[in-house]
Amino acid sequence: MGESTGAPTQPGSLTFGRKVDFAESAWKHLTAHLPLSLAVRELMRLRALFEMGAIQKPILDVGCGDGLFWENLIQNIREGEKVSLKGLMGIDIDTHELGLASLRLQSRGVEVLQRDISLTSPLEGQADLSEQFKTVIANCSLEHVPKLEPALRNILGYLSPNGQFVLFVPAPNWTENLHIRQNFHRLSPRLGGLVGGCFDGFFQHRHLYPATVWKFLLEGMGFKVQTILGLGNQSANRLFERHLPTAFLTFIHKMIFKSYPGLLRSRPTPKSKLVGEFLQSITDGSIVQSDLGQSAVIEYFIICQK
């Protein structure tokens, strides 16, 4: 798992197409494996990717984690269950998560590799990935890396000429949508800021910038920013917050035991009014916002070109 013979070389693209029951089936699959709060965010990102229509192979996933995102995605794209992910490589620093990703995706042709995207040079014995990928995806991973500039420089180097870089990052004011922060803010802005800082500290958010700053950083590193969209709405944000206490318990359990506990997962059905509203916004695409100034926007979806 720590060594590679080189980047996958699979021509073509991964083409998306929503099934009629996309939102509900994806919801059931994600909530069967993840804390509900995290499932809400993952489903938003999945829907955003579908806006692209297709992504070109070979693909590099920076911070691929346990591979659940891709497992869910391939169950909901036009080619159906038999689609191959050959041409996809996932990298991460967590060997346990990579082991899970390998179990989930190896039969689909995915290669996983332990690598720190922020290192200034490759680890000894690892393959040179320079200009090997037509698409690089960072699914809410770059906000966690200690050194952002080397990470972006490496990603630029991994992309082939005219390659595409797709990233999801949290909006800097995402905690302002939380009722708990709003209530403390009414008592004192300092207390509200303290609560928001505690959430960002728990999730280890190191880089929280407005969209304009992300555009400046990316273009300063040599990318051409093509699109920045916002993700989030009231139903998604309420669902996320309502189930945060359970999510915190499951996060702590995973830190200790390396897996989410099934008994601590709550799974409201699509018949729930709030869940129904959220899933409808996934189906009709209104979860993806072109107006980045909307107060409900809690993440950015950014598409760049080399």
Side-chain angles (χ1 to χ4, degrees), residues 94-109:
D94 191 319
T95 56
H96 179 77
E97 293 289 281
L98 286 173
L100 294 175
S102 181
L103 288 173
R104 280 196 167 106
L105 302 174
Q106 189 175 35
S107 64
R108 302 277 185 172

Side-chain angles (χ1 to χ4, degrees), residues 72-201:
N72 191 74
L73 184 147
I74 61 179
Q75 293 182 6
N76 293 284
I77 64 178
R78 185 170 290 118
E79 291 86 345
E81 296 291 336
K82 296 181 180 179
V83 66
S84 170
L85 285 175
K86 186 172 177 60
L88 170 66
M89 174 184 283
I91 63 173
D92 206 294
I93 60 174
D94 191 319
T95 56
H96 179 77
E97 293 289 281
L98 286 173
L100 294 175
S102 181
L103 288 173
R104 280 196 167 106
L105 302 174
Q106 189 175 35
S107 64
R108 302 277 185 172
V110 177
E111 183 179 0
V112 298
L113 174 68
Q114 185 182 17
R115 178 169 291 199
D116 186 341
I117 192 65
S118 64
L119 291 182
T120 54
S121 59
L123 296 176
E124 184 178 352
Q126 290 193 347
D128 182 8
L129 303 180
S130 299
E131 297 192 341
Q132 295 297 306
F133 299 94
K134 291 186 178 180
T135 306
V136 175
I137 294 179
N139 180 359
C140 280
S141 56
L142 290 186
E143 69 270 20
H144 304 294
V145 302
K147 299 177 181 178
L148 185 59
E149 283 192 23
L152 292 174
R153 192 175 299 114
N154 285 335
I155 289 170
L156 186 69
Y158 293 160
L159 277 172
S160 61
N162 299 315
Q164 202 166 49
F165 177 35
V166 180
L167 64 156
F168 297 92
V169 289
N173 62 339
W174 73 273
T175 61
E176 293 179 10
N177 283 280
L178 301 176
H179 281 155
I180 185 173
R181 172 169 175 168
Q182 294 168 3
N183 291 334
F184 274 99
H185 182 84
R186 292 187 187 99
L187 294 174
S188 166
R190 291 182 185 275
L191 286 176
L194 177 62
V195 171
C198 288
F199 279 107
D200 284 317

Side-chain angles (χ1 to χ4, degrees), residues 3 44 56-57 103 127 132 151 200 247:
E3 296 188 5
M44 293 194 312
Q56 298 297 311
K57 299 178 182 179
L103 288 173
Q132 295 297 306
D200 284 317

